Amino acid sequence: MENIAIVGVGQTTYERRKKDEIFYDMVYEVTRKALDDAGYTLDDIDSVVTISNDFWDGRTISCMAVQEAAGAHDKNVSTVEGDGTFGAFYAAMRVLGGCKTTLVVAHSKGSEGNSSIITNGLFDPVYHRSLGLDAVSSSAMQANAYMNKYGITEEQCALVSVKNHGNAKNNPYAQLPMDITVDDVMASRKISDPLKLLDCSPISDGAAAVIIANEEYAGKAKTKPVWIKGIAHCAEAYFLGDRDMADPIALKNAAKRAYAMAGIKDPLKEIDVVELYDAFSYMEPLWLEGLRFCEAGQGGKMTESGATAVNGSLPVN
């Protein structure tokens, strides 16, 4: 792979409700921050990727409302539907495809929508949607499948919440930095069995941006470039009934490809820190298994051992 790098980043604080800011304000803030971080001007950006969601934003082709705030005037523009990580992946593809630099901006105002109704629309309209499935209840199904298959306990998952809320105390952008205990998690309100309130990520408003550049332009940035060594994307069956929900096949395949590209043979020994998606506490140990940091069914024990703590052998989130 050609040498490409992240050269600028920006993010807002994450809050339950940013009542005094619209999407445009948030996108402008992080675009400005990313440009300042890189030491670039808009003239240095030749491609823009914006990430939003029509249902969350409450309007059709919602990305059009933020293009100007992202500095996209007279530039090559692409849009991604609601997936920030895939937007960064897509931006990397743009640079590998010939663009000198790509700015990618993601935003969301979860406070202005009904998450249950909106995420219900993710599911198949004929067989699944009428069941009332949404992001929370489907994740609860996966949590149950994972726990039942491997004997993962609710307390092991609660440890993830304890760790990550504690870690958030070191992050000035975090929404819920706090000291909690496993007992606090276990006693919190049940949302969808086995998920409790403190197992779940909060509804948030916020935005983030990164700039990805080719080697020539990375050399012009004022920051130290973060070179992208491996990157991959994979998807699996759309219907939940066609999957083993306790076996993250797509993640395993994507990780295998990214590791091969980066020349990584033993991820546990060769990777220093992990940041992964954890909308619900059970996801962290399950994704650690999919990323080959431990064997299947061992993610809970890995968390329990303290290996994933800030001062552990593999700090996670």
Side-chain angles (χ1 to χ4, degrees):
M1 190 172 80
E2 297 171 29
N3 290 328
I4 62 173
I6 298 168
V7 296
V9 299
Q11 59 184 320
T12 64
T13 56
Y14 302 98
E15 302 171 43
R16 176 60 179 81
R17 183 187 178 205
K18 289 181 177 289
K19 63 180 180 179
D20 297 325
E21 295 183 53
I22 60 174
F23 309 123
Y24 193 100
D25 298 321
M26 297 191 303
V27 169
Y28 179 82
E29 177 185 342
V30 296
T31 297
R32 185 72 269 162
K33 284 181 174 180
L35 288 169
D36 290 345
D37 189 40
Y40 284 176
T41 69
L42 281 178
D43 291 337
D44 296 309
I45 304 295
D46 56 357
S47 174
V48 175
V49 174
T50 61
I51 304 155
S52 61
N53 181 289
D54 291 359
F55 293 101
W56 283 111
D57 285 5
R59 60 177 291 167
T60 305
I61 319 178
S62 60
C63 56
M64 293 178 65
V66 300
Q67 299 292 0
E68 188 180 45
H73 174 71
D74 204 28
K75 298 184 189 301
N76 191 312
V77 180
S78 295
T79 61
V80 168
E81 181 62 22
D83 188 326
T85 306
F86 186 75
F89 179 90
Y90 189 19
M93 297 303 102
R94 303 306 299 272
V95 177
L96 289 170
C99 293
K100 297 182 182 67
T101 58
T102 298
L103 166 72
V104 53
V105 182
H107 74 267
S108 180
K109 291 199 76 176
S111 66
E112 295 186 359
N114 183 310
S115 62
S116 182
I117 293 173
I118 290 171
T119 59
N120 175 251
L122 299 171
F123 293 92
D124 168 72
V126 177
Y127 298 106
H128 287 163
R129 203 173 294 174
S130 61
L131 299 176
L133 286 171
D134 61 12
V136 178
S137 58
S138 60
S139 295
M141 289 173 60
Q142 184 174 45
N144 275 308
Y146 177 45
M147 290 176 177
N148 290 333
K149 185 172 183 177
Y150 294 114
I152 304 294
T153 67
E154 292 186 44
E155 287 81 4
Q156 287 173 330
C157 295
L159 281 169
V160 173
S161 184
V162 171
K163 171 178 69 71
N164 293 351
H165 281 296
N167 290 345
K169 294 174 69 178
N170 298 315
N171 181 357
Y173 298 98
Q175 183 178 340
L176 291 176
M178 54 186 178
D179 290 316
I180 55 173
T181 66
V182 169
D183 288 341
D184 292 330
V185 179
M186 297 298 292
S188 62
R189 177 168 55 90
K190 188 66 68 71
I191 303 298
S192 183
D193 189 51
L195 302 177
K196 298 161 289 298
L197 181 65
L198 289 176
D199 286 311
C200 306
S201 58
I203 293 171
S204 303
D205 290 358
V210 299
I211 298 172
I212 298 176
N214 65 13
E215 189 166 14
E216 176 191 355
Y217 264 76
K220 298 178 180 180
K222 72 177 185 181
T223 52
K224 181 180 179 180
V226 177
W227 301 104
I228 298 174
K229 296 295 186 181
I231 187 169
H233 172 263
C234 189
E236 57 185 295
Y238 174 51
F239 288 107
L240 297 185
D242 291 340
R243 303 184 196 178
D244 178 350
M245 295 179 72
D247 184 9
I249 293 172
L251 177 60
K252 288 179 178 177
N253 289 339
K256 182 179 180 180
R257 296 175 188 179
Y259 291 156
M261 192 180 294
I264 290 173
K265 293 182 172 55
D266 188 339
L268 187 59
K269 291 181 179 179
E270 297 177 70
I271 290 176
D272 297 319
V273 66
V274 180
E275 293 288 344
L276 49 74
Y277 178 75
D278 65 338
F280 303 95
S281 61
Y282 79 89
M283 291 180 170
E284 183 173 301
L286 180 56
W287 301 161
L288 288 172
E289 296 170 19
L291 290 166
R292 284 180 37 211
F293 291 114
C294 59
E295 296 297 321
Q298 297 301 305
K301 291 181 180 178
M302 186 175 183
T303 302
E304 207 167 29
S305 73
T308 60
V310 167
N311 58 354
S313 58
L314 184 74
V316 179
N317 292 358

